[in-house]
């Protein structure tokens, strides 16, 4: 069992890292913008805060707690609207932020005119993470595909891939949106192509009755660590090389991120309102 948990931990780290790379959501915009200001500690706190949402959503999606989604679903429009207000507020704050260029004897560095409040970073990350209902479906879909692939190689998932398949079908039955239809067809296609390959990682060691629970916790935790790792390194690289960029160009990038964040918030708000119609 220990070997299986180690393998799933490695897989979770890789998946969490890789899937965070193309992410262009509110969390990425906030982190990238503040990294341009040199606020690496703030960015790290935001990523750690958002990773709590990743852990929660991944664990729920894997362990089969579909009833929680049923309770959660009616409030999605309100969550989207609340999230849009938060994102729009942050976008305006980012757009209005100003930097000044100070020359030191050793190096040139950018500093904010306003002293950064690092303590708010963690809370910002938590709120941005939990006010994003799309995370649940995206992590459920990606986790289902990953566990299906592992099962096709003979890895014992304790039936978690079947649980996730049942969850997707149940959620699809209560939500007939086009997005869910495309997600379900993708996962069904993946399952049909992979489940019947010859396994070569099959385990012959008896597993604990709590194996599914342990596997869910380890995978969810690894996903969170992988995501935090990606944002840590991208924050470091942006903050390090920002000194080579002209101040006016940094202003332009920050304003661009602010505008993109504003449009994202507006889109989520309109989507939430449309769900009442």
């Amino acid at each position: 069992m220990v070997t299986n948990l180690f393998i799933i931990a490695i897989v979770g780290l890789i998946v969490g890292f890789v899937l965070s790379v193309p992410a262009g959501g509110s969390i990425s915009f906030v982190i990238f913008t503040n990294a341009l200001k040199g606020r690496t500690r703030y960015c790290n706190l935001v990523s750690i805060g958002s990773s709590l949402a990743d852990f929660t959503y991944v664990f729920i999606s894997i362990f089969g707690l579909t009833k929680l989604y049923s309770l959660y679903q009616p409030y999605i429009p309100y969550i989207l609207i609340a999230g849009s207000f938060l994102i729009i507020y942050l976008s305006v704050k980012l757009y209005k932020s100003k930097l000044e260029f100070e020359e030191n004897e050793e190096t040139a560095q950018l500093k904010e005119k306003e002293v950064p409040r690092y303590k708010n970073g963690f809370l910002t990350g938590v709120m941005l993470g939990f006010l994003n209902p799309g995370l649940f479906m995206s992590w459920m879909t990606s986790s289902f595909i990953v566990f299906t692939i592992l099962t096709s190689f003979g890895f014992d998932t304790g039936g978690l891939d079947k649980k996730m398949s049942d969850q997707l079908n149940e959620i699809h039955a209560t939500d007939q949106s086009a997005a869910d239809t495309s997600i379900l067809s993708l996962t069904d296609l993946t399952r049909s192509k992979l489940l019947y390959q010859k396994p070569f990682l099959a385990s012959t060691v008896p597993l604990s009755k709590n194996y599914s629970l342990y596997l869910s916790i380890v995978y969810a935790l690894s996903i969170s660590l992988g995501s935090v790792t990606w944002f840590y390194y991208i924050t470091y690289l942006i903050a390090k090389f920002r000194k080579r960029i002209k101040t006016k160009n940094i202003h332009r990038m920050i304003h661009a991120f602010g505008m993109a964040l504003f449009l994202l918030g507006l889109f989520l708000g309109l989507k939430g309102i449309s769900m009442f119609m």
Side-chain angles (χ1 to χ4, degrees), residues 12 41 50 58 91 143 148 165 168 191 210 217 219 223 252 258:
R41 184 183 174 191
S50 67
V58 172
S91 69
S143 299
T148 299
S165 178
L168 283 168
R191 185 179 181 85
N210 294 322
I217 293 175
Y219 184 73
I223 286 284
R252 289 172 182 171

Side-chain angles (χ1 to χ4, degrees), residues 13 26 64 95 100 110 112 119 125 166 179 195 206 228 243 255:
L13 283 171
S26 55
Y95 190 86
E100 60 182 0
L110 289 169
E112 282 189 286
K119 63 181 180 180
D166 293 340
L195 277 184
V228 170
K243 298 175 184 178
H255 289 165

Side-chain angles (χ1 to χ4, degrees), residues 29-93:
F29 287 134
V30 170
I31 289 177
F32 294 165
T33 305
N34 283 280
L36 286 170
K37 302 176 185 178
R39 300 175 67 186
T40 55
R41 184 183 174 191
Y42 179 88
C43 294
N44 292 333
L45 289 175
V46 170
S47 67
I48 292 173
S50 67
S51 70
L52 287 181
D54 291 336
F55 174 85
T56 302
Y57 285 134
V58 172
F59 176 75
I60 290 175
S61 65
I62 291 177
F63 200 57
L65 305 178
T66 317
K67 291 184 179 179
L68 288 181
Y69 179 79
S70 301
L71 296 174
Y72 170 76
Q73 188 186 26
Y75 301 101
I76 286 180
Y78 302 99
I79 295 172
L80 284 172
I81 294 173
S84 71
F85 278 114
L86 174 63
I87 292 172
I88 289 174
Y89 167 75
L90 290 174
S91 69
V92 173
K93 191 174 180 180

